[in-house]
Amino acid sequence: MKYISTRGKVSPIGFIDMFLMGLGDDGGLIVPETIPTVSAAQLDVWAKLSYEDLMLEIFSLFTNNEIPESDLKTLIKDSYAGFTSPDVLPLTTLNDSLHVLELFHGPTFAFKDVALQFMGNLYAYVAKKQNQVINILGATSGDTGASAISSVRGKEGIQICILHPNGKVSRVQELQMTTVQDDNVLNLSVNGNFDDCQHIIKELFADIPFKTKYHLRAINSINFVRILAQSVYYFYAYLQLPAKARANGVSFSIPTGNFGNIFSGYLAKRMGVPIKQLILATNENNILERFINEGVYKPEGFRSTHSPSMDIQIASNFERYLYYFSGEDANAVAARMEQFKAEGQLTFTEEELARIQQDLTAYSVGNAECLETIQIYQESYGYLLDPHSACGIAAYEGAGRKENGTFISLATAHPAKFDEAIRLIGIEQKFPERIQELFDKPQRQVVVDNAKAEIVAQLEGFYRLEQ
Ligand SMILES: Cc1ncc(COP(=O)(O)O)c(C=O)c1O
Ligand SMILES: N[C@@H](CCOP(=O)(O)O)C(=O)O
């Protein structure tokens, strides 16, 4: 298996090189040259596997044996040892046709831990094997940063710098990032929004001399390993269903911001999971909903919502979808991305729109609807959703084709991370101990302007050039 860029200007590379490259050196996103497929009979065999063993099988289709199987097994086992549920990602049944896949039992209580605990271990593994210094640069709207920091804090040979938007993450998210005192962690709190943070890091990844000099590495979903690790939970969720329930396929409702969560589902579907409907749930930052429902991809004003981690306009993995939508035509993707840069929007024809709508359904959830959903599900099922997971459920209610049968809605964060919203509906929750204790810890962060030069100066003082 080799990896190429959606813009076609990266010579095919192997798994570890792809992991280290992160963003394609031509500015595109990295994808596998071909997507391996898994037969229904193989899926049946995999139904008996633990989460870790299933991940080993799926990764083995992508790693070209570049990581010996016993090492890969250990990396995977270590990555999920800190999850508090014995099933790693438990599937909770709410009613005959609706299940919730709880992705938030990792160390930072959000679904990002599923991929990032593994990626942190993989970076440490590569740092050791190749005697490489690893300087990680990431942008976060709150969860990726907390999770990535937790996965590499204190690890030898690794430095991590995370940009988050100042004042636009929840209190718990901010504390999870900024109370970490390890010397290999730098938190930059940027006066701007998440798109500003993501824009700056993408510019730095596209600056090849800078990227090369500092061995810049990515933990965001621009890194294909993030996507691959996330695709495992679609297999797992499907395989956890009773055989009768999954006989007719399954549909997913997916809270999405950077298009990473849903693109992982799209990949799982292309690999062979019989997914009928992929529902893309957004909040009021609904660029992706407008793309799918109207055929126009155009950022509009940024809005602060109850689900701040999804307050995103420019979605990284949109380009990966565009690649497959264009029949894997890298020239067409490069041309569209140039056009987007020049004109600030993309429009799709009626025929294209029909094809997009065969792949994806979209539903955007307003602030009031988000809170209402949390309240109704608390009252009806005694189940407390966080605001992002509530967007998934509201989208299932609003756009799920119920005749499709079984639905799984992804619960992407623990409600304790977003107490600001939960309190608005008068619910007082008890925090898990690991969250409660954050409130007594000192914080460490540097506030910076949304200015590349200022951020580069911080990085130059922080990153290491050799181990
Ligand atoms: C809690 C939560 N749910 C959902 C999402 C959406 O995931 P993605 O942006 O990878 O599509 C995010 C981050 O964006 C998140 O932090
Ligand atoms: N919701 C994310 C935004 C960054 O997205 P990523 O999936 O590309 O890391 C966050 O919590 O930071």
Side-chain angles (χ1 to χ4, degrees):
M1 169 77 71
K2 292 280 183 200
Y3 295 85
I4 53 176
S5 162
T6 50
R7 298 193 194 173
K9 300 261 171 349
V10 170
S11 328
I13 48 177
F15 181 83
I16 298 281
D17 286 340
M18 168 277 284
F19 175 54
L20 295 176
M21 185 177 282
L23 184 69
D25 282 351
D26 62 353
L29 296 195
I30 301 291
V31 287
E33 224 168 19
T34 51
I35 296 178
T37 51
V38 178
S39 68
Q42 184 64 67
L43 284 175
D44 278 343
V45 174
W46 285 358
K48 296 173 190 67
L49 299 182
S50 65
Y51 186 80
E52 291 89 336
D53 288 344
L54 177 66
M55 180 165 174
L56 181 66
E57 292 291 338
I58 295 172
F59 264 69
S60 300
L61 301 173
F62 288 86
T63 51
N64 308 313
N65 295 320
E66 289 176 44
I67 306 170
E69 188 181 291
S70 60
D71 290 359
L72 186 57
K73 204 171 177 168
T74 306
L75 283 169
I76 292 173
K77 193 166 150 275
D78 292 351
S79 302
Y80 300 102
F83 278 58
T84 52
S85 165
D87 294 338
V88 183
L89 311 175
L91 189 68
T92 297
T93 299
L94 293 187
N95 61 43
D96 282 351
S97 54
L98 178 61
H99 308 261
V100 172
L101 182 69
E102 295 182 354
L103 298 167
F104 54 75
H105 294 279
T108 66
F109 301 90
F111 85 103
K112 308 288 178 173
D113 289 330
V114 179
L116 284 165
Q117 283 297 308
F118 174 75
M119 284 172 71
N121 287 333
L122 188 57
Y123 274 128
Y125 177 82
V126 174
K128 200 165 164 206
K129 282 265 169 201
Q130 300 191 357
N131 199 24
Q132 275 224 26
V133 63
I134 303 280
N135 288 317
I136 295 173
L137 178 62
T140 190
S141 50
D143 288 325
T144 294
S147 180
I149 289 170
S150 135
S151 75
V152 299
R153 59 181 295 183
K155 282 193 174 146
E156 214 171 306
I158 301 183
Q159 302 283 100
I160 181 166
C161 172
I162 297 292
L163 276 58
H164 72 264
N166 187 9
K168 292 190 172 62
V169 298
S170 80
R171 180 73 179 138
V172 169
Q173 288 177 320
E174 182 186 306
L175 291 172
Q176 282 180 325
M177 292 187 278
T178 60
T179 56
V180 175
Q181 300 296 332
D182 299 75
D183 286 341
N184 72 331
V185 175
L186 172 64
N187 278 293
L188 296 181
S189 180
V190 179
N191 289 321
N193 59 36
F194 170 75
D195 288 296
D196 298 322
C197 299
Q198 180 152 264
H199 182 73
I200 290 181
I201 74 155
K202 280 195 181 161
E203 269 194 24
L204 294 174
F205 276 109
D207 179 345
I208 302 304
F210 186 83
K211 179 180 180 181
T212 310
K213 176 174 176 192
Y214 287 103
H215 306 269
L216 278 198
R217 306 297 173 218
I219 41 79
N220 282 103
S221 58
I222 49 178
N223 196 317
F224 182 74
V225 176
R226 266 286 297 284
I227 298 295
L228 181 58
Q230 291 176 184
S231 73
V232 177
Y233 53 70
Y234 289 87
F235 282 83
Y236 186 69
Y238 166 70
L239 295 172
Q240 292 316 293
L241 292 170
K244 207 170 148 215
R246 75 178 132 91
N248 291 321
V250 64
S251 297
F252 284 90
S253 188
I254 306 154
T256 298
N258 230 353
F259 214 104
N261 201 9
I262 194 158
F263 185 81
S264 305
Y266 177 78
L267 177 67
K269 181 174 178 174
R270 289 190 71 121
M271 287 178 69
V273 180
I275 299 176
K276 287 183 163 168
Q277 195 183 5
L278 281 170
I279 306 173
L280 181 148
T282 72
N283 62 23
E284 293 180 4
N285 295 283
N286 64 347
I287 177 170
L288 294 170
E289 187 235 3
R290 285 180 285 109
F291 159 62
I292 293 163
N293 289 345
E294 297 163 23
V296 180
Y297 183 76
K298 181 182 179 193
E300 284 182 352
F302 170 91
R303 287 171 171 225
S304 284
T305 71
H306 296 316
S307 46
S309 299
M310 297 186 341
D311 291 348
I312 298 174
Q313 294 286 319
I314 310 287
S316 286
N317 289 282
F318 170 73
E319 182 166 339
R320 281 198 174 103
Y321 175 69
L322 209 52
Y323 176 75
Y324 290 104
F325 172 75
S326 315
E328 304 182 28
D329 181 344
N331 291 332
V333 174
R336 291 246 202 205
M337 295 318 291
E338 272 307 309
Q339 189 189 355
F340 181 66
K341 200 170 162 192
E343 296 170 16
Q345 70 174 74
L346 291 176
T347 46
F348 295 82
T349 64
E350 286 295 317
E351 179 275 322
E352 289 173 325
L353 187 55
R355 280 200 289 127
I356 293 165
Q357 291 176 356
Q358 275 173 12
D359 287 335
L360 305 163
T361 306
Y363 189 89
S364 110
V365 182
N367 267 334
E369 191 177 4
C370 175
L371 296 186
E372 213 176 271
T373 306
I374 298 174
Q375 187 152 28
I376 291 172
Y377 271 66
Q378 173 66 20
E379 284 165 11
S380 312
Y381 298 104
Y383 193 89
L384 186 58
L385 294 159
D386 100 283
H388 304 77
S389 312
C391 288
I393 291 282
Y396 153 77
E397 296 279 6
R401 291 192 283 271
K402 307 296 181 295
E403 66 278 13
N404 280 347
T406 306
F407 277 81
I408 295 174
S409 194
L410 301 188
T412 49
H414 190 292
K417 291 194 87 164
F418 303 98
D419 196 46
E420 294 88 338
I422 305 294
R423 274 178 186 277
L424 290 176
I425 40 181
I427 295 177
E428 235 176 81
Q429 49 179 331
K430 187 174 178 320
F431 287 171
E433 206 179 311
R434 244 186 308 162
I435 288 188
Q436 186 59 51
E437 65 194 15
L438 293 171
F439 292 91
D440 299 323
K441 293 187 175 169
Q443 288 180 255
R444 196 166 77 158
Q445 62 184 318
V446 180
V447 178
V448 289
D449 277 331
N450 172 22
K452 193 172 144 195
E454 194 176 336
I455 289 164
V456 166
Q458 288 289 337
L459 296 179
E460 286 177 336
F462 172 68
Y463 281 152
R464 288 166 41 179
L465 292 177
E466 51 198 46
Q467 275 216 352

